[in-house]
Amino acid sequence: MTSKASPSTPTARSGLALLALLWLAGLYLRVPVLVAPALAPFVAEDLGLSQALTGALTTLPVFMLAVGAMPGSLAISRIGPRATLAIALVVTALGSALRGLAPEAMTLMAASTLMGLGIAAMQPALPALLRVWLTPDRLALGTAVYMNGMLMGEFIGAGVTLPVMMPLMDDSWRWTLIGWSVPAFLVAAALFLPRERVSGGTAEADPWLPDWKNPLTWRLGVLLGASGGLFFGTNAYMGNVLEQRGSLDALDSALFWLNLAQVASSLIMLKMARQWVGRPRVIFLMLMIAIVTLALFLLTEGLTSIVFVFMMSFTAGIMLILLVALPPQVARAGETGRLAAGNFTIGYTLSFGVPMLGGLVADLTGQANHAVLAMLIYGLLVMPIAWTLQLPSRNH
């Protein structure tokens, strides 16, 4: 005799549908950001942007990831993670599309800011939604799935925009931005198709402000900053480093493998998430390998250096997924959003600030390697935090 599936135990088909929605939402955590570097030369020429404003097309949304995390947590506590995610997706899509309609630089920056705030609210909403949609034994898999979507979004945004999307959009950077944005509205609508599991408590009663007195908020945030700083910082200064060593012709391949490595790490985590999530020693090992391989990238040249930068990005990507997976694993259901918001606020502030500090040092010394060296030093400083990291017992 077959038993009827209850709302709290989704069937295999509905489970796959939930994972597909999580993957699509994860995709839009990065696609709108990473299309900007590909389109930047066309935007700059059309609107007469300075180098600083051209760079801000990418860096401004990254900074907004830190600024908007707490408003996202507030929304989760008031209207729930699903509605927060849907609204944030719409805001992201609107902001991204409005970039394509911007008549001048300031309107373009305002639209980029709006888009970044939408993405920032999505980030804590996704781990909070896992607690509503998935059973405890599938939390790690759910995180790996949407993080795979996010990291695929980096690769798709950077790699597909110019050869595929732009020709389809009549070679217009404006229509390309709008074209990438439209599917997000469909994903936002689809989020309301699944039935949510019944959970205790009300959204209005949930706390939203990150607990700044909780050491775990800071520890995870600082480690998240190391992972993000290594990846974003290496992307930002790769051209300068290669130019100074006389290898600027290798920039395209270096950036290709640097970003592809994060896709590879997300695929590995689809298989290993249940075994590795919640194990601090794995986080420490990934950080250590990332630091060593980035140092070896600075000390080598040619194909060897690209292999090392691939390994750095690969291990930093695994570390990122391990850290993002922790809030739904260790926090009570109503506090997942606030812990994630605290982690993202700290982590993305550092992911933005440490590479910027490295750039200032490089400007003073005239040595591009010093920009990367700042990230290595930061990684070494936080290694003891990874080694001594203690996690609460998993909340089932």
Side-chain angles (χ1 to χ4, degrees):
M1 179 177 177
T2 58
S3 60
K4 186 177 180 181
S6 69
S8 62
T9 56
T11 64
R13 181 178 296 178
S14 65
L16 288 174
L18 295 179
L19 293 176
L21 280 173
L22 290 171
W23 188 88
L24 288 169
L27 197 72
Y28 274 89
L29 286 170
R30 287 296 180 271
V31 164
V33 178
L34 270 296
V35 299
L39 297 175
F42 306 98
V43 180
E45 182 180 0
D46 223 16
L47 300 185
L49 302 183
S50 66
Q51 290 191 46
L53 286 176
T54 302
L57 288 173
T58 301
T59 58
L60 184 59
V62 173
F63 181 63
M64 289 300 107
L65 296 182
V67 175
M70 282 192 287
S73 180
L74 173 60
I76 292 167
S77 74
R78 297 296 183 263
I79 62 175
R82 176 159 63 172
T84 298
L85 180 59
I87 292 171
L89 261 170
V90 170
V91 171
T92 299
L94 282 174
S96 183
L98 286 172
R99 292 181 301 174
L101 302 175
E104 37 74 35
M106 288 304 101
T107 307
L108 181 68
M109 292 303 124
S112 297
T113 299
L114 179 66
M115 181 194 76
L117 289 173
I119 295 173
M122 289 172 62
Q123 295 217 133
L126 276 162
L129 187 59
L130 294 181
R131 296 300 302 264
V132 179
W133 274 4
L134 302 180
T135 54
D137 62 313
R138 304 188 78 196
L139 293 177
L141 175 63
T143 302
V145 166
Y146 87 73
M147 290 297 292
N148 175 263
M150 185 187 88
L151 298 175
M152 283 295 292
E154 292 181 347
F155 186 71
I156 291 170
V160 175
T161 296
L162 291 183
V164 178
M165 193 65 171
M166 199 166 179
L168 291 175
M169 295 294 151
D170 198 28
D171 289 323
S172 166
W173 66 266
R174 294 183 181 277
W175 281 110
T176 300
L177 287 171
I178 294 170
W180 273 125
S181 305
V182 170
F185 293 104
L186 302 177
V187 177
L191 287 172
F192 290 96
L193 294 178
R195 293 180 63 187
E196 292 186 332
R197 295 191 302 118
V198 178
S199 59
T202 62
E204 288 77 12
D206 292 338
W208 67 274
L209 192 67
D211 183 4
W212 301 119
K213 295 181 180 179
N214 181 0
L216 191 62
T217 301
W218 290 94
R219 287 174 178 268
L220 297 183
V222 164
L223 292 172
L224 192 63
S227 171
L230 288 167
F231 175 72
F232 287 118
T234 305
N235 259 300
Y237 298 113
M238 178 68 75
N240 294 346
V241 170
L242 293 181
E243 183 178 21
Q244 196 160 75
R245 66 170 64 165
S247 303
L248 191 59
D249 57 335
L251 178 61
D252 286 350
S253 59
L255 289 176
F256 174 85
W257 289 106
L258 172 65
N259 287 280
L260 184 64
Q262 298 246 312
V263 176
S265 66
S266 70
L267 294 174
I268 290 293
M269 286 303 295
L270 287 174
K271 175 68 175 177
M272 302 304 299
R274 289 186 180 180
Q275 290 89 340
W276 287 356
V277 169
R279 298 193 176 187
R281 288 296 183 266
V282 182
I283 296 173
F284 174 83
L285 179 63
M286 293 302 114
L287 176 59
M288 181 178 69
I289 296 174
I291 291 171
V292 170
T293 50
L294 185 57
L296 290 171
F297 160 72
L298 293 179
L299 297 173
T300 57
E301 296 185 6
L303 179 61
T304 304
S305 70
I306 293 179
V307 171
F308 283 130
V309 86
F310 178 92
M311 286 303 301
M312 182 282 297
S313 182
F314 178 75
T315 49
I318 291 178
M319 180 181 170
L320 171 66
I321 296 171
L322 292 171
L323 291 167
V324 172
L326 286 176
Q329 292 276 341
V330 302
R332 295 196 301 272
E335 297 194 350
T336 302
R338 73 192 296 225
L339 178 59
N343 300 161
F344 289 132
T345 299
I346 296 166
Y348 280 107
T349 299
L350 291 167
S351 296
F352 177 80
V354 173
M356 176 172 285
L357 178 62
L360 293 174
V361 172
D363 284 340
L364 290 173
T365 63
Q367 296 295 317
N369 280 0
H370 290 173
V372 181
L373 190 61
M375 294 176 289
L376 286 174
I377 293 172
Y378 177 76
L380 289 170
L381 290 175
V382 302
M383 280 187 71
I385 295 176
W387 179 255
T388 60
L389 183 64
Q390 293 184 348
L391 301 174
S393 56
R394 294 186 181 188
N395 180 29
H396 297 296

